[in-house]
Amino acid sequence: MIRRPRNRRRADHEVVRAGELLQPAGPEALEVHARTLAIGGHLASTMVVTGYPAEVSPGWLAPLLAFPGHLDIALHIEPVPNLVAAAGLKKQRARLESGRRGAFDKGHLDNPEVEAAAADAADLAYRIARGEGKLFHVGLYMTVHASDEETLAEQVAAVKAVAESLLMTVAPTTYRALPGWLTTLPLGIDMLKIRRTFDTAALAACYPFASPELPAPADAAGAGAGAGSQVLYGLNAVSGAPVLWDRFGCDNYNSVTLARSGAGKSYLAKLELLRLLFTGVTASVVDPENEYVRLAETVGGTVVALGADGVRLNPFDLPCHGEAGGEDVLTRRVLFLHRFLAVLFGAEVKGAEEAVLDRALLATYARVGITADARTWTRTPPVLADLAEVLGEDGSEVAAGLVERLTPYVTGSHACVFNGHSTVSTAGHLVVFALRQLPEEVKAPAMLLALDAIWRQVTDAGRGGKHLVIVDEAWLLMRDEAGARFLFRMAKAARKNWTGLVVITQDADDVLASPLGRAVVANAATQILLRQAPQAIDTISASFRLSHGEREFLLSAGRGEALLLAGERRKVALISVAAPGEHEIITTDPGELAAQQWTEDTDPDLAVDHDLGEETWNQ
């Protein structure tokens, strides 16, 4: 039922049209007043924006979206044909020029406002003529809802204050409350038609696809390294506005993610990875818990399950190319083997042991014909058993001790993992090194071996495009000094190879307590903090210079709620969100996986194809 206001007669056709619009899903009754509506059990008042600021920045309307009350905002856009726009601008320029000449003939001074308007009109006319922009008729309307008249008046005044702080002029829809409310409904109908003309750039700035707390990098939207890789991280925890971020538009492309177990750190990393794949970014993942395997199988990636039968990477493999700058590949490989064996042994190799091991490594390569001559680097490399044999022939007590330490990995229980030639390829748009089948004692050296294989792919001179390297559960590697040093080297050199390093860990002390760990964090332009344990919050707060509010947010954050930091003044609290299809691919919740498996087993028609294949993914 729609009641007419007593103080104003309304056209019958307008009431009939309103009734037709509300008939499918409208309220039971409306009471129309001069400036307010009684809609069911609450009141509403609509305002229209009649004046706009001269200059704005992207996302400038975000403060309105962050309004804590019940506020509906509608932006109606109607494109203006180029011929009509050109004709209108021509008339406008003629009027402005006529006014300027008339004032000049009368001896008046230049009017700065007229001069600025004439210059803007000329610039806009030329841009439209070159096809660099268009004109649009834009109407911006806001409807405030409240439970009673007093609260409604307070809310209307608060919205006006926010609008005026943005240098906007608003006016109530006096005697047009019903059309105003209908205009802000999701019907796509503008019944007020109070509009202003915007060009493409001004209209784009009105869209709330940027967070005022976390502005996008300067070159993220333009050409350069960051172009085309901006992805949705989630929604602003305060305003609900989308939070988009481009790691490849920052000073470096690295990130560090710290959170307690179960806070959703791997979920957020997989969500970003999935969305970056759509932009053409390739990726490699070191996955100690097989959390990325379903994702890789879905998108046609490669899974290297170290520890499975017949799956092995040879630590003696040489890069298939000479490194940049003519460096000695053999020398670089021997240095890596020193670091790898230190992680394998669980202790640094120093003094006499280091000297004996260095001679043995060079002799092991020499036995298969690999020397400092670059022409020999393509020959079949040796294996770990060859090194043990050379050390055994040395005859010294130090060499004998090294042989004993190598025995478990040459002829013992772990020989199938490290002793032998490589049996898998590490090339592809997404390669996941799954390490769950390995015992905890050898996960750290296996992670280092996987990172080395990734680094050889990253530094390949023939590779092109952006690449992402994800190291999950990095604390397994950071607790060893040699492993932490290798990760630090990757963090320093990744940017030179158009690569971003993602370090994810649940143990903040292993990262922040050591100088190398702090250096890895310092070389990460993007830092993500999820829920923290009370025992670790003091260390986190001091290291990242968090405010009291940010500290409390991390202590009480729910699953998926995170604090994204990119410098001291660029912070935003967000909630990660995934589409149903994305969630089905990346979730590792045991209950959800069990329910999904039961559905597929009981009804094969509902089964999801998790092996799309690389060809389908690329299409």
Side-chain angles (χ1 to χ4, degrees), residues 11 44 77 99 176 185 249 270 313 322 335 364 379 408 461 467 478 552 555 619:
I77 304 168
R176 302 192 68 184
L185 291 178
K270 286 181 284 186
L313 293 175
L335 292 175
T364 302
R379 295 175 180 174
H467 193 80
M478 295 293 290
E552 295 302 317
L555 285 174
Q619 290 175 355

Side-chain angles (χ1 to χ4, degrees), residues 309 452 567:
D309 292 340
D452 172 69

Side-chain angles (χ1 to χ4, degrees), residues 8 25 119 127-129 163 168 193 210 214 220 325 381 408 421 452 514-515 599:
R8 178 178 174 87
R127 282 195 282 119
I128 291 176
M168 291 193 300
K193 297 188 182 300
L214 187 68
H421 296 288
D452 172 69
S514 67
T599 302

Side-chain angles (χ1 to χ4, degrees), residues 21 45 124 158 180-181 253 287 328 377 391 441 494 527 541 584:
L21 292 173
S45 179
L124 185 56
W181 175 62
Y253 319 137
D287 182 13
D328 187 347
W377 295 344
L391 286 171
E441 293 77 11
Q527 300 162 354
S541 299
E584 188 175 359

Side-chain angles (χ1 to χ4, degrees), residues 417-479:
V417 181
F418 302 107
N419 185 34
H421 296 288
S422 298
T423 59
V424 292
S425 172
T426 58
H429 68 284
L430 173 61
V431 182
V432 174
F433 293 85
L435 312 179
R436 189 172 185 176
Q437 299 185 51
L438 293 173
E440 292 294 328
E441 293 77 11
V442 296
K443 274 192 177 181
M447 290 178 70
L448 183 59
L449 200 57
L451 281 173
D452 172 69
I454 293 171
W455 189 246
R456 282 187 274 124
Q457 293 290 330
V458 166
T459 55
D460 189 345
R463 185 189 67 85
K466 290 168 280 192
H467 193 80
L468 193 69
V469 178
I470 300 177
V471 184
D472 208 340
E473 303 297 346
W475 61 272
L476 292 169
L477 193 61
M478 295 293 290
R479 60 188 178 185

Side-chain angles (χ1 to χ4, degrees), residues 5 7-8 10 13-14 17 32-37 44-48 141 143 171-184 190-194:
N7 58 348
R8 178 178 174 87
R10 191 170 300 279
H13 69 88
E14 186 175 279
R17 186 181 180 189
V32 183
H33 300 275
R35 292 187 178 182
T36 61
L37 285 176
S45 179
T46 302
M47 293 177 288
V48 58
Y141 312 97
T143 296
T173 54
T174 306
Y175 297 117
R176 302 192 68 184
L178 179 60
W181 175 62
L182 293 173
T183 300
T184 58
D190 186 358
M191 301 187 69
L192 296 178
K193 297 188 182 300
I194 302 176

